[in-house]
Amino acid sequence: MPVVSTKEIVDRAFADRYGVGAFNILDDLSIDAVLAAAEEERAPVILQTSVKTVRAYGRDRLVAVFRAMARDTTIPVSLHLDHCPHRDVISECLDAGWNSVLFDAHELDVADNLEQTKEVVAEARRHNAHVEGEIEGIEGIEDDIGSDEASRLHKLEVAVDFIKATGVDVFAPAIGNAHGQYKRPPRLDHQRVTDLVEATGVPMALHGGTGLSADQFHDLIARGCAKVNISTAIKESYMRSALAHLKEAEAKDKWDPPTLFARQRESLVQTAREHIALFGGSGRAW
Ligand code: 13P
């Protein structure tokens, strides 16, 4: 299956009310593992990259590895740029072939954010690519972007106007969700998702997926959260499986990198599969 547009992946999920897992990948090992998980679940999947990952791994290397691995899969897959406040990085990723971008300009006032998001949408269209928009910060710092302070919330009409005026394909509402592990059980504004979807007909992206309950996922997906972001669970799976392996290696004084990579891959496949199944994405590949 060739790489397909993020819009097609999200719109189909929105129409049939399941969630597509959008997993923050870090390198070739995690790309391979998430694709394998989606393949085993026969599910469409979105691979997303933080700006930090684009810079650390290298834009061209990342897209080359993604393309080479995606070519061998038989499920629909797309590449998305997660929270990016930098217009130059947005342009570079669109030029390089990312399928969609989240232009995260929530730190600007809404009028400025709206004008710039319109420009990003026009730029993305020239690349046959799509845009996620945001006007309120999602609490929690993710890969050096964001803040631990809860962001100012805007009236529903402001968000609806932003979505309609910019023509964004997906919108990321702040509903009490947060990046990272939740320090206390989150109280989410489920109704805001319904209100936004009813007023705009546009699918929502659920940020801060790690640590939400099955009931929360199911309800929010039913209301229109068609893209479900998972980053922290991927990072922890990657690092904790390595830590467990390295402790054993040290105890045995046996140092074999390929068995470390295999253990990490197995852990990541399991983590991604569990989330895909939880979101109702299994068996939805076309
Ligand atoms: P978590 O880190 O809580 O999984 O959130 C991921 C996310 O929303 C990425 O934008």
Side-chain angles (χ1 to χ4, degrees):
M1 182 94 189
V3 174
V4 303
S5 86
T6 302
K7 182 168 171 60
E8 182 171 7
I9 291 179
V10 174
D11 282 356
R12 283 181 183 241
F14 185 57
D16 292 345
R17 287 299 193 267
Y18 61 90
V20 174
F23 298 97
N24 287 64
I25 51 80
L26 304 147
D27 58 4
D28 49 342
L29 193 153
S30 48
I31 294 174
D32 178 44
V34 172
L35 289 176
E39 188 86 46
E40 284 169 40
E41 292 296 326
R42 304 299 313 145
V45 71
I46 298 168
L47 270 50
Q48 55 187 17
T49 59
S50 68
V51 174
K52 187 175 188 173
T53 296
V54 173
R55 289 186 173 142
Y57 200 81
R59 179 197 73 162
D60 293 343
R61 206 150 69 99
L62 195 50
V63 81
V65 170
F66 167 76
R67 288 220 178 105
M69 288 188 177
R71 213 171 16 239
D72 294 336
T73 62
T74 60
I75 43 106
V77 55
S78 74
L79 183 63
H80 175 76
L81 177 65
D82 200 17
H83 297 279
C84 182
H86 314 297
R87 292 285 300 272
D88 55 341
V89 179
I90 295 257
S91 298
E92 283 167 24
C93 287
L94 288 172
D95 283 345
W98 262 251
N99 303 101
S100 50
V101 295
L102 165 50
F103 178 48
D104 179 354
H106 77 269
E107 287 187 355
L108 303 180
D109 63 50
V110 179
D112 196 6
N113 182 349
L114 189 147
E115 286 312 313
Q116 290 210 39
T117 301
K118 273 186 187 170
E119 292 171 11
V120 171
V121 169
E123 184 181 354
R125 296 291 181 264
R126 291 196 288 277
H127 292 273
N128 224 352
H130 297 93
V131 178
E132 182 178 331
E134 171 171 343
I135 60 170
E136 296 151 346
I138 311 290
E139 203 179 316
I141 300 172
E142 183 109 272
D143 280 1
D144 304 337
I145 290 185
S147 156
D148 280 331
E149 301 293 313
S151 161
R152 174 173 165 239
L153 298 184
H154 295 284
K155 288 204 176 108
L156 183 73
E157 302 79 71
V158 175
V160 169
D161 178 58
F162 176 90
I163 295 167
K164 288 184 175 170
T166 55
V168 290
D169 306 285
V170 188
F171 183 71
I175 53 168
N177 45 342
H179 294 133
Q181 289 291 1
Y182 289 93
K183 294 174 189 80
R184 66 198 87 81
R187 294 195 20 224
L188 303 179
D189 185 354
H190 295 230
Q191 186 57 39
R192 188 157 172 104
V193 172
T194 299
D195 292 345
L196 286 167
V197 167
E198 279 180 0
T200 65
V202 166
M204 298 292 126
L206 176 58
H207 283 249
T210 300
L212 297 183
S213 69
D215 284 350
Q216 286 170 323
F217 281 127
H218 293 154
D219 186 64
L220 290 164
I221 289 167
R223 289 169 189 264
C225 286
K227 172 174 179 280
V228 187
N229 288 7
I230 299 293
S231 175
T232 301
I234 291 289
K235 287 185 205 167
E236 290 194 6
S237 179
Y238 191 113
M239 300 290 285
R240 289 187 191 283
S241 57
L243 183 63
H245 183 85
L246 290 171
K247 281 182 176 168
E248 287 170 22
E250 186 173 45
K252 292 183 201 150
D253 195 19
K254 205 163 181 295
W255 304 97
D256 179 41
T259 56
L260 165 66
F261 306 149
R263 177 103 166 238
Q264 288 178 291
R265 184 181 189 279
E266 192 186 330
S267 175
L268 285 169
V269 170
Q270 193 185 333
T271 302
R273 282 191 74 167
E274 282 168 9
H275 284 94
I276 289 168
L278 190 55
F279 305 157
S282 309
R284 307 282 191 163
W286 61 90

